[in-house]
Amino acid sequence: MKHALLLTAGICLALTACYDDSALTARLDNHESRIKALEQYCEQMNGNIDAMQKILQRLQDQDYCTGVTRFHDGYGLHFSVSGTIYIYDGKDGNDGHSPKISVKPGDDGILYWTLDGEWLLDANGQKIPVTGKDGKDGQDGHDGQDGEDGEDGITPRLKIENEYWWLSMDNGQTWTQLVKATGEDGKDGKDGDSFFEKVEETDNAVILTLTGGQTISIPKLPELELQFDHSSDIICIAGTICEVPYILRGAIGETLIETLSEGSLRATVAKTSETEGLIRVAIPEEGPDGKVLVFACNNGRTVFKALTFEEGVFSVSEAVFEFEEDGGEAAFTLSHNVDFEIESSASWLSAAPADAKAVTKTVLILQAEPMTESFEDRIGTITLRSRENEMSATLTVTQKQLFAISETEATLLEGETLQLTLLNRLPNQEVTWTSADESIATVDENGLVTAVAKGSTTIEVDSADGKHYKTCTITVKTISDMVPVWFGGGAVTVINGKIQYGSQLNWFIKNGLGEALRVVSMHLTGVSVPVRGLYLPVTAHFKIQYKGTEYSVSGTYNF
């Protein structure tokens, strides 16, 4: 019995000495590390939920992204006004299921929270928007301060407790149990998906791709650029105010524009909006000296440009020209250091560059067309005007008639005369008058035209040297052509082709002569039958007086 007890004790002692609990400890350590990793993943998920809400709020507030920084476990999105928002791309490890909080647009275009692809609903069964109305963030963050009347958005919250996922939709006041957070029997599971699947940066935007394919594009802050049509060698006039328009590209919100002047220049800023305005520079009487620095500040960014000036040159070699009635061309030189345009006060007068080269001295051709209808000298002007300021030069052009005729066309009655007047400034005053058809009209040595018969002909006068001539077209018409007579109705009784006595006949005369005429007398002719009346046709004869000469015109009525 004594030996037996000793044996038993030895066996127990041996068993105690051989027991190893390292496997159990390793399993417990692994379980704890996995729980710790899940809790860290949970924190990142909550951080991403907050980040999503803030990102969408920045879009709503029209805040711009200035860039992206990559970290070992996520990204930093830098915004121009609201600072940096961090998002994570960490993974979880479990064989069960990780809740997938995400967003997607509803039919109204508003983004709503989802859980595992299904809408998260409030107590009333309504979808929960990511951001509230009027610019407020969710209840947890309370970052949005611009809204006043809208309801806040709701920020989902996740936690792990008793190895299960829990979800709160009221800022942690109440929690709903979801699925188991760790695998059974300590099994390792597949990595969980990141809230943000991919972050891409382009020249104009940062694009976030969420799990499930939903994308969110965040506009990047455009580059700040101060633009002038010209910033160097701006043409100006001494003793005046030179206005230089500017545009500030890429500015967001309020801007500050300031100037710094060097030399004798003095500059001020006249803003017409936050991005446009004028730089007004006072140019001294002795001309521009120095430069003006223009600074533009916006959202912590500053750009500047230097403006330099050059005194304008704009003058012509000659300012007075004279042409004969035949027109012609004359060259002159415009000295300039600016672009210019040409204006003419008369359709017969023009000027154009002799070539298309942009040179300091431009040769222009002044052209006057021949005088065709005028019997007097005429004056016109050509104005050369710089396109960008008030410099100009004016040419005065006189065109004189050396050899002109008073009429270029005329209409005469048979037997009527017309005295053509000749303007002759030629050294030799001798001229020759001729008629192309003397059976229609003749002309004497002094330019007196006599209408002979109906038709048309040309009267020409030639200078003695044969270099100048003028013509006048003469149209001869009969008095009947110019003064027609016709029956105009009346109270007429016709029986068996005879106009009965007591009838009233109305006659009309049209004056196509252009001057007053006088009716001297009128009588009717036809076959008269005593008592019975007049046989048709009946003719009315009128004697009229025109320019002191009597003419006969008539019209006939035949029923």
Side-chain angles (χ1 to χ4, degrees), residues 276-309:
E276 295 185 23
L278 297 171
I279 306 299
R280 290 196 172 106
V281 183
I283 309 298
E285 292 291 345
E286 59 272 16
D289 175 27
K291 60 185 177 181
V292 173
L293 300 179
V294 183
F295 297 85
C297 302
N298 175 254
N299 279 331
R301 302 169 296 164
T302 300
V303 294
F304 76 93
K305 273 195 175 181
L307 305 180
T308 61
F309 299 83

PDB file of all heavy atoms in Angstrom, residues 276-309:
ATOM      1  N   GLU A 276     -12.531  90.746 -62.134  1.00  0.00           N
ATOM      2  CA  GLU A 276     -12.252  91.624 -63.260  1.00  0.00           C
ATOM      3  C   GLU A 276     -12.153  93.072 -62.782  1.00  0.00           C
ATOM      4  O   GLU A 276     -12.709  93.446 -61.744  1.00  0.00           O
ATOM      5  CB  GLU A 276     -13.341  91.504 -64.344  1.00  0.00           C
ATOM      6  CG  GLU A 276     -13.401  90.140 -64.989  1.00  0.00           C
ATOM      7  CD  GLU A 276     -14.397  90.091 -66.128  1.00  0.00           C
ATOM      8  OE1 GLU A 276     -14.704  91.166 -66.679  1.00  0.00           O
ATOM      9  OE2 GLU A 276     -14.858  88.995 -66.475  1.00  0.00           O
ATOM     10  N   GLY A 277     -11.471  93.863 -63.577  1.00  0.00           N
ATOM     11  CA  GLY A 277     -11.363  95.271 -63.256  1.00  0.00           C
ATOM     12  C   GLY A 277     -10.352  95.965 -64.152  1.00  0.00           C
ATOM     13  O   GLY A 277      -9.953  95.445 -65.198  1.00  0.00           O
ATOM     14  N   LEU A 278      -9.935  97.174 -63.727  1.00  0.00           N
ATOM     15  CA  LEU A 278      -8.992  97.994 -64.489  1.00  0.00           C
ATOM     16  C   LEU A 278      -7.840  98.416 -63.596  1.00  0.00           C
ATOM     17  O   LEU A 278      -8.044  98.729 -62.409  1.00  0.00           O
ATOM     18  CB  LEU A 278      -9.682  99.247 -65.041  1.00  0.00           C
ATOM     19  CG  LEU A 278     -10.831  99.054 -66.044  1.00  0.00           C
ATOM     20  CD1 LEU A 278     -11.514 100.399 -66.294  1.00  0.00           C
ATOM     21  CD2 LEU A 278     -10.328  98.465 -67.343  1.00  0.00           C
ATOM     22  N   ILE A 279      -6.648  98.410 -64.166  1.00  0.00           N
ATOM     23  CA  ILE A 279      -5.495  99.048 -63.525  1.00  0.00           C
ATOM     24  C   ILE A 279      -5.333 100.408 -64.192  1.00  0.00           C
ATOM     25  O   ILE A 279      -5.057 100.486 -65.389  1.00  0.00           O
ATOM     26  CB  ILE A 279      -4.219  98.210 -63.683  1.00  0.00           C
ATOM     27  CG1 ILE A 279      -4.446  96.779 -63.171  1.00  0.00           C
ATOM     28  CG2 ILE A 279      -3.058  98.875 -62.968  1.00  0.00           C
ATOM     29  CD1 ILE A 279      -4.811  96.697 -61.712  1.00  0.00           C
ATOM     30  N   ARG A 280      -5.578 101.478 -63.442  1.00  0.00           N
ATOM     31  CA  ARG A 280      -5.485 102.834 -63.987  1.00  0.00           C
ATOM     32  C   ARG A 280      -4.107 103.405 -63.636  1.00  0.00           C
ATOM     33  O   ARG A 280      -3.749 103.520 -62.457  1.00  0.00           O
ATOM     34  CB  ARG A 280      -6.584 103.722 -63.422  1.00  0.00           C
ATOM     35  CG  ARG A 280      -7.982 103.354 -63.924  1.00  0.00           C
ATOM     36  CD  ARG A 280      -8.960 104.479 -63.654  1.00  0.00           C
ATOM     37  NE  ARG A 280     -10.236 104.232 -64.269  1.00  0.00           N
ATOM     38  CZ  ARG A 280     -11.326 103.873 -63.603  1.00  0.00           C
ATOM     39  NH1 ARG A 280     -11.276 103.719 -62.296  1.00  0.00           N
ATOM     40  NH2 ARG A 280     -12.471 103.681 -64.232  1.00  0.00           N
ATOM     41  N   VAL A 281      -3.362 103.770 -64.683  1.00  0.00           N
ATOM     42  CA  VAL A 281      -1.990 104.252 -64.498  1.00  0.00           C
ATOM     43  C   VAL A 281      -1.901 105.683 -65.016  1.00  0.00           C
ATOM     44  O   VAL A 281      -2.219 105.955 -66.183  1.00  0.00           O
ATOM     45  CB  VAL A 281      -0.983 103.351 -65.244  1.00  0.00           C
ATOM     46  CG1 VAL A 281       0.435 103.827 -64.991  1.00  0.00           C
ATOM     47  CG2 VAL A 281      -1.150 101.896 -64.813  1.00  0.00           C
ATOM     48  N   ALA A 282      -1.473 106.594 -64.143  1.00  0.00           N
ATOM     49  CA  ALA A 282      -1.284 107.997 -64.529  1.00  0.00           C
ATOM     50  C   ALA A 282       0.073 108.134 -65.205  1.00  0.00           C
ATOM     51  O   ALA A 282       1.116 107.847 -64.605  1.00  0.00           O
ATOM     52  CB  ALA A 282      -1.382 108.889 -63.302  1.00  0.00           C
ATOM     53  N   ILE A 283       0.052 108.574 -66.475  1.00  0.00           N
ATOM     54  CA  ILE A 283       1.283 108.737 -67.255  1.00  0.00           C
ATOM     55  C   ILE A 283       1.708 110.203 -67.167  1.00  0.00           C
ATOM     56  O   ILE A 283       0.939 111.098 -67.526  1.00  0.00           O
ATOM     57  CB  ILE A 283       1.075 108.333 -68.725  1.00  0.00           C
ATOM     58  CG1 ILE A 283       0.434 106.937 -68.818  1.00  0.00           C
ATOM     59  CG2 ILE A 283       2.384 108.389 -69.479  1.00  0.00           C
ATOM     60  CD1 ILE A 283       1.260 105.828 -68.222  1.00  0.00           C
ATOM     61  N   PRO A 284       2.913 110.506 -66.695  1.00  0.00           N
ATOM     62  CA  PRO A 284       3.339 111.913 -66.569  1.00  0.00           C
ATOM     63  C   PRO A 284       3.533 112.569 -67.933  1.00  0.00           C
ATOM     64  O   PRO A 284       3.623 111.893 -68.961  1.00  0.00           O
ATOM     65  CB  PRO A 284       4.671 111.809 -65.800  1.00  0.00           C
ATOM     66  CG  PRO A 284       5.143 110.414 -66.044  1.00  0.00           C
ATOM     67  CD  PRO A 284       3.917 109.564 -66.189  1.00  0.00           C
ATOM     68  N   GLU A 285       3.627 113.887 -67.923  1.00  0.00           N
ATOM     69  CA  GLU A 285       3.761 114.650 -69.157  1.00  0.00           C
ATOM     70  C   GLU A 285       5.048 114.311 -69.908  1.00  0.00           C
ATOM     71  O   GLU A 285       5.097 114.367 -71.134  1.00  0.00           O
ATOM     72  CB  GLU A 285       3.724 116.154 -68.851  1.00  0.00           C
ATOM     73  CG  GLU A 285       2.388 116.673 -68.351  1.00  0.00           C
ATOM     74  CD  GLU A 285       1.320 116.654 -69.431  1.00  0.00           C
ATOM     75  OE1 GLU A 285       1.671 116.521 -70.620  1.00  0.00           O
ATOM     76  OE2 GLU A 285       0.132 116.759 -69.080  1.00  0.00           O
ATOM     77  N   GLU A 286       6.079 113.946 -69.192  1.00  0.00           N
ATOM     78  CA  GLU A 286       7.343 113.611 -69.847  1.00  0.00           C
ATOM     79  C   GLU A 286       7.388 112.170 -70.350  1.00  0.00           C
ATOM     80  O   GLU A 286       8.409 111.733 -70.893  1.00  0.00           O
ATOM     81  CB  GLU A 286       8.505 113.846 -68.880  1.00  0.00           C
ATOM     82  CG  GLU A 286       8.442 113.042 -67.597  1.00  0.00           C
ATOM     83  CD  GLU A 286       7.647 113.741 -66.493  1.00  0.00           C
ATOM     84  OE1 GLU A 286       6.903 114.700 -66.816  1.00  0.00           O
ATOM     85  OE2 GLU A 286       7.790 113.337 -65.334  1.00  0.00           O
ATOM     86  N   GLY A 287       6.281 111.453 -70.209  1.00  0.00           N
ATOM     87  CA  GLY A 287       6.216 110.091 -70.727  1.00  0.00           C
ATOM     88  C   GLY A 287       6.399 109.053 -69.639  1.00  0.00           C
ATOM     89  O   GLY A 287       6.753 109.371 -68.492  1.00  0.00           O
ATOM     90  N   PRO A 288       6.172 107.781 -69.956  1.00  0.00           N
ATOM     91  CA  PRO A 288       6.256 106.717 -68.941  1.00  0.00           C
ATOM     92  C   PRO A 288       7.696 106.433 -68.527  1.00  0.00           C
ATOM     93  O   PRO A 288       8.604 106.424 -69.356  1.00  0.00           O
ATOM     94  CB  PRO A 288       5.641 105.511 -69.662  1.00  0.00           C
ATOM     95  CG  PRO A 288       5.878 105.776 -71.109  1.00  0.00           C
ATOM     96  CD  PRO A 288       5.780 107.259 -71.275  1.00  0.00           C
ATOM     97  N   ASP A 289       7.866 106.202 -67.210  1.00  0.00           N
ATOM     98  CA  ASP A 289       9.184 105.874 -66.690  1.00  0.00           C
ATOM     99  C   ASP A 289       8.988 104.903 -65.526  1.00  0.00           C
ATOM    100  O   ASP A 289       8.369 105.245 -64.523  1.00  0.00           O
ATOM    101  CB  ASP A 289       9.896 107.147 -66.226  1.00  0.00           C
ATOM    102  CG  ASP A 289      11.236 106.824 -65.559  1.00  0.00           C
ATOM    103  OD1 ASP A 289      11.824 105.788 -65.895  1.00  0.00           O
ATOM    104  OD2 ASP A 289      11.662 107.618 -64.702  1.00  0.00           O
ATOM    105  N   GLY A 290       9.502 103.688 -65.633  1.00  0.00           N
ATOM    106  CA  GLY A 290       9.331 102.696 -64.585  1.00  0.00           C
ATOM    107  C   GLY A 290       8.315 101.637 -64.981  1.00  0.00           C
ATOM    108  O   GLY A 290       7.975 101.470 -66.160  1.00  0.00           O
ATOM    109  N   LYS A 291       7.807 100.906 -63.991  1.00  0.00           N
ATOM    110  CA  LYS A 291       6.821  99.858 -64.240  1.00  0.00           C
ATOM    111  C   LYS A 291       5.868  99.752 -63.060  1.00  0.00           C
ATOM    112  O   LYS A 291       6.092 100.348 -62.000  1.00  0.00           O
ATOM    113  CB  LYS A 291       7.519  98.519 -64.479  1.00  0.00           C
ATOM    114  CG  LYS A 291       8.377  98.029 -63.329  1.00  0.00           C
ATOM    115  CD  LYS A 291       9.110  96.756 -63.727  1.00  0.00           C
ATOM    116  CE  LYS A 291      10.057  96.288 -62.597  1.00  0.00           C
ATOM    117  NZ  LYS A 291      10.793  95.068 -62.976  1.00  0.00           N
ATOM    118  N   VAL A 292       4.801  98.988 -63.254  1.00  0.00           N
ATOM    119  CA  VAL A 292       3.790  98.788 -62.221  1.00  0.00           C
ATOM    120  C   VAL A 292       3.690  97.290 -61.944  1.00  0.00           C
ATOM    121  O   VAL A 292       3.508  96.492 -62.877  1.00  0.00           O
ATOM    122  CB  VAL A 292       2.415  99.339 -62.663  1.00  0.00           C
ATOM    123  CG1 VAL A 292       1.346  98.968 -61.639  1.00  0.00           C
ATOM    124  CG2 VAL A 292       2.482 100.844 -62.840  1.00  0.00           C
ATOM    125  N   LEU A 293       3.829  96.899 -60.679  1.00  0.00           N
ATOM    126  CA  LEU A 293       3.647  95.508 -60.269  1.00  0.00           C
ATOM    127  C   LEU A 293       2.220  95.346 -59.758  1.00  0.00           C
ATOM    128  O   LEU A 293       1.760  96.118 -58.911  1.00  0.00           O
ATOM    129  CB  LEU A 293       4.639  95.132 -59.169  1.00  0.00           C
ATOM    130  CG  LEU A 293       6.123  95.249 -59.531  1.00  0.00           C
ATOM    131  CD1 LEU A 293       6.986  94.871 -58.334  1.00  0.00           C
ATOM    132  CD2 LEU A 293       6.461  94.375 -60.727  1.00  0.00           C
ATOM    133  N   VAL A 294       1.512  94.344 -60.274  1.00  0.00           N
ATOM    134  CA  VAL A 294       0.133  94.069 -59.874  1.00  0.00           C
ATOM    135  C   VAL A 294       0.110  92.735 -59.136  1.00  0.00           C
ATOM    136  O   VAL A 294       0.563  91.706 -59.667  1.00  0.00           O
ATOM    137  CB  VAL A 294      -0.804  94.024 -61.096  1.00  0.00           C
ATOM    138  CG1 VAL A 294      -2.243  93.802 -60.642  1.00  0.00           C
ATOM    139  CG2 VAL A 294      -0.699  95.305 -61.907  1.00  0.00           C
ATOM    140  N   PHE A 295      -0.404  92.735 -57.895  1.00  0.00           N
ATOM    141  CA  PHE A 295      -0.485  91.539 -57.061  1.00  0.00           C
ATOM    142  C   PHE A 295      -1.944  91.125 -56.910  1.00  0.00           C
ATOM    143  O   PHE A 295      -2.826  91.977 -56.720  1.00  0.00           O
ATOM    144  CB  PHE A 295       0.115  91.798 -55.675  1.00  0.00           C
ATOM    145  CG  PHE A 295       1.577  92.128 -55.698  1.00  0.00           C
ATOM    146  CD1 PHE A 295       2.009  93.434 -55.905  1.00  0.00           C
ATOM    147  CD2 PHE A 295       2.527  91.138 -55.520  1.00  0.00           C
ATOM    148  CE1 PHE A 295       3.348  93.754 -55.925  1.00  0.00           C
ATOM    149  CE2 PHE A 295       3.880  91.447 -55.542  1.00  0.00           C
ATOM    150  CZ  PHE A 295       4.299  92.756 -55.745  1.00  0.00           C
ATOM    151  N   ALA A 296      -2.205  89.826 -56.978  1.00  0.00           N
ATOM    152  CA  ALA A 296      -3.548  89.285 -56.775  1.00  0.00           C
ATOM    153  C   ALA A 296      -3.470  88.190 -55.721  1.00  0.00           C
ATOM    154  O   ALA A 296      -2.640  87.273 -55.833  1.00  0.00           O
ATOM    155  CB  ALA A 296      -4.109  88.722 -58.083  1.00  0.00           C
ATOM    156  N   CYS A 297      -4.338  88.280 -54.688  1.00  0.00           N
ATOM    157  CA  CYS A 297      -4.364  87.302 -53.604  1.00  0.00           C
ATOM    158  C   CYS A 297      -5.744  86.669 -53.509  1.00  0.00           C
ATOM    159  O   CYS A 297      -6.761  87.372 -53.586  1.00  0.00           O
ATOM    160  CB  CYS A 297      -4.018  87.972 -52.273  1.00  0.00           C
ATOM    161  SG  CYS A 297      -2.400  88.784 -52.271  1.00  0.00           S
ATOM    162  N   ASN A 298      -5.751  85.328 -53.331  1.00  0.00           N
ATOM    163  CA  ASN A 298      -7.021  84.615 -53.215  1.00  0.00           C
ATOM    164  C   ASN A 298      -6.768  83.268 -52.562  1.00  0.00           C
ATOM    165  O   ASN A 298      -5.908  82.492 -53.004  1.00  0.00           O
ATOM    166  CB  ASN A 298      -7.653  84.422 -54.598  1.00  0.00           C
ATOM    167  CG  ASN A 298      -8.916  83.591 -54.557  1.00  0.00           C
ATOM    168  OD1 ASN A 298      -8.918  82.433 -54.956  1.00  0.00           O
ATOM    169  ND2 ASN A 298      -9.995  84.161 -54.070  1.00  0.00           N
ATOM    170  N   ASN A 299      -7.499  82.993 -51.473  1.00  0.00           N
ATOM    171  CA  ASN A 299      -7.411  81.695 -50.783  1.00  0.00           C
ATOM    172  C   ASN A 299      -5.969  81.324 -50.432  1.00  0.00           C
ATOM    173  O   ASN A 299      -5.530  80.184 -50.635  1.00  0.00           O
ATOM    174  CB  ASN A 299      -8.031  80.588 -51.644  1.00  0.00           C
ATOM    175  CG  ASN A 299      -9.533  80.549 -51.523  1.00  0.00           C
ATOM    176  OD1 ASN A 299     -10.083  80.926 -50.490  1.00  0.00           O
ATOM    177  ND2 ASN A 299     -10.207  80.126 -52.564  1.00  0.00           N
ATOM    178  N   GLY A 300      -5.214  82.301 -49.929  1.00  0.00           N
ATOM    179  CA  GLY A 300      -3.857  82.018 -49.522  1.00  0.00           C
ATOM    180  C   GLY A 300      -2.866  81.932 -50.656  1.00  0.00           C
ATOM    181  O   GLY A 300      -1.681  81.641 -50.426  1.00  0.00           O
ATOM    182  N   ARG A 301      -3.312  82.182 -51.867  1.00  0.00           N
ATOM    183  CA  ARG A 301      -2.420  82.145 -53.028  1.00  0.00           C
ATOM    184  C   ARG A 301      -2.168  83.567 -53.517  1.00  0.00           C
ATOM    185  O   ARG A 301      -3.055  84.397 -53.475  1.00  0.00           O
ATOM    186  CB  ARG A 301      -3.039  81.315 -54.152  1.00  0.00           C
ATOM    187  CG  ARG A 301      -3.376  79.881 -53.772  1.00  0.00           C
ATOM    188  CD  ARG A 301      -4.224  79.223 -54.837  1.00  0.00           C
ATOM    189  NE  ARG A 301      -5.521  79.873 -54.970  1.00  0.00           N
ATOM    190  CZ  ARG A 301      -6.331  79.703 -56.013  1.00  0.00           C
ATOM    191  NH1 ARG A 301      -5.962  78.930 -57.010  1.00  0.00           N
ATOM    192  NH2 ARG A 301      -7.490  80.312 -56.048  1.00  0.00           N
ATOM    193  N   THR A 302      -0.971  83.801 -54.007  1.00  0.00           N
ATOM    194  CA  THR A 302      -0.606  85.124 -54.509  1.00  0.00           C
ATOM    195  C   THR A 302       0.110  84.985 -55.844  1.00  0.00           C
ATOM    196  O   THR A 302       1.005  84.141 -55.990  1.00  0.00           O
ATOM    197  CB  THR A 302       0.306  85.870 -53.519  1.00  0.00           C
ATOM    198  OG1 THR A 302      -0.379  86.028 -52.272  1.00  0.00           O
ATOM    199  CG2 THR A 302       0.676  87.246 -54.058  1.00  0.00           C
ATOM    200  N   VAL A 303      -0.308  85.777 -56.805  1.00  0.00           N
ATOM    201  CA  VAL A 303       0.380  85.859 -58.094  1.00  0.00           C
ATOM    202  C   VAL A 303       0.606  87.335 -58.406  1.00  0.00           C
ATOM    203  O   VAL A 303      -0.086  88.203 -57.878  1.00  0.00           O
ATOM    204  CB  VAL A 303      -0.429  85.196 -59.233  1.00  0.00           C
ATOM    205  CG1 VAL A 303      -0.541  83.704 -59.024  1.00  0.00           C
ATOM    206  CG2 VAL A 303      -1.818  85.831 -59.351  1.00  0.00           C
ATOM    207  N   PHE A 304       1.576  87.615 -59.250  1.00  0.00           N
ATOM    208  CA  PHE A 304       1.808  89.012 -59.626  1.00  0.00           C
ATOM    209  C   PHE A 304       2.340  89.055 -61.045  1.00  0.00           C
ATOM    210  O   PHE A 304       2.877  88.076 -61.579  1.00  0.00           O
ATOM    211  CB  PHE A 304       2.779  89.686 -58.654  1.00  0.00           C
ATOM    212  CG  PHE A 304       4.218  89.302 -58.856  1.00  0.00           C
ATOM    213  CD1 PHE A 304       5.048  90.060 -59.668  1.00  0.00           C
ATOM    214  CD2 PHE A 304       4.736  88.170 -58.239  1.00  0.00           C
ATOM    215  CE1 PHE A 304       6.369  89.703 -59.850  1.00  0.00           C
ATOM    216  CE2 PHE A 304       6.054  87.810 -58.414  1.00  0.00           C
ATOM    217  CZ  PHE A 304       6.881  88.575 -59.234  1.00  0.00           C
ATOM    218  N   LYS A 305       2.170  90.234 -61.659  1.00  0.00           N
ATOM    219  CA  LYS A 305       2.717  90.506 -62.982  1.00  0.00           C
ATOM    220  C   LYS A 305       3.199  91.944 -63.033  1.00  0.00           C
ATOM    221  O   LYS A 305       2.648  92.812 -62.341  1.00  0.00           O
ATOM    222  CB  LYS A 305       1.666  90.264 -64.079  1.00  0.00           C
ATOM    223  CG  LYS A 305       1.612  88.841 -64.563  1.00  0.00           C
ATOM    224  CD  LYS A 305       0.848  88.712 -65.853  1.00  0.00           C
ATOM    225  CE  LYS A 305       0.902  87.291 -66.378  1.00  0.00           C
ATOM    226  NZ  LYS A 305       0.171  87.149 -67.659  1.00  0.00           N
ATOM    227  N   ALA A 306       4.193  92.161 -63.872  1.00  0.00           N
ATOM    228  CA  ALA A 306       4.736  93.508 -64.063  1.00  0.00           C
ATOM    229  C   ALA A 306       4.193  94.103 -65.351  1.00  0.00           C
ATOM    230  O   ALA A 306       4.128  93.430 -66.388  1.00  0.00           O
ATOM    231  CB  ALA A 306       6.258  93.455 -64.105  1.00  0.00           C
ATOM    232  N   LEU A 307       3.765  95.345 -65.284  1.00  0.00           N
ATOM    233  CA  LEU A 307       3.283  96.084 -66.452  1.00  0.00           C
ATOM    234  C   LEU A 307       4.331  97.127 -66.833  1.00  0.00           C
ATOM    235  O   LEU A 307       4.769  97.920 -65.984  1.00  0.00           O
ATOM    236  CB  LEU A 307       1.949  96.773 -66.157  1.00  0.00           C
ATOM    237  CG  LEU A 307       0.799  95.900 -65.654  1.00  0.00           C
ATOM    238  CD1 LEU A 307      -0.444  96.765 -65.426  1.00  0.00           C
ATOM    239  CD2 LEU A 307       0.490  94.780 -66.617  1.00  0.00           C
ATOM    240  N   THR A 308       4.729  97.125 -68.091  1.00  0.00           N
ATOM    241  CA  THR A 308       5.644  98.150 -68.588  1.00  0.00           C
ATOM    242  C   THR A 308       4.957  98.934 -69.698  1.00  0.00           C
ATOM    243  O   THR A 308       4.084  98.399 -70.388  1.00  0.00           O
ATOM    244  CB  THR A 308       6.946  97.530 -69.124  1.00  0.00           C
ATOM    245  OG1 THR A 308       6.639  96.652 -70.213  1.00  0.00           O
ATOM    246  CG2 THR A 308       7.655  96.749 -68.033  1.00  0.00           C
ATOM    247  N   PHE A 309       5.365 100.183 -69.871  1.00  0.00           N
ATOM    248  CA  PHE A 309       4.654 101.093 -70.767  1.00  0.00           C
ATOM    249  C   PHE A 309       5.617 101.728 -71.765  1.00  0.00           C
ATOM    250  O   PHE A 309       6.806 101.901 -71.505  1.00  0.00           O
ATOM    251  CB  PHE A 309       3.939 102.183 -69.956  1.00  0.00           C
ATOM    252  CG  PHE A 309       2.917 101.638 -69.011  1.00  0.00           C
ATOM    253  CD1 PHE A 309       3.296 101.167 -67.759  1.00  0.00           C
ATOM    254  CD2 PHE A 309       1.587 101.556 -69.378  1.00  0.00           C
ATOM    255  CE1 PHE A 309       2.348 100.645 -66.880  1.00  0.00           C
ATOM    256  CE2 PHE A 309       0.638 101.031 -68.517  1.00  0.00           C
ATOM    257  CZ  PHE A 309       1.029 100.577 -67.269  1.00  0.00           C
TER     258      PHE A 309
END
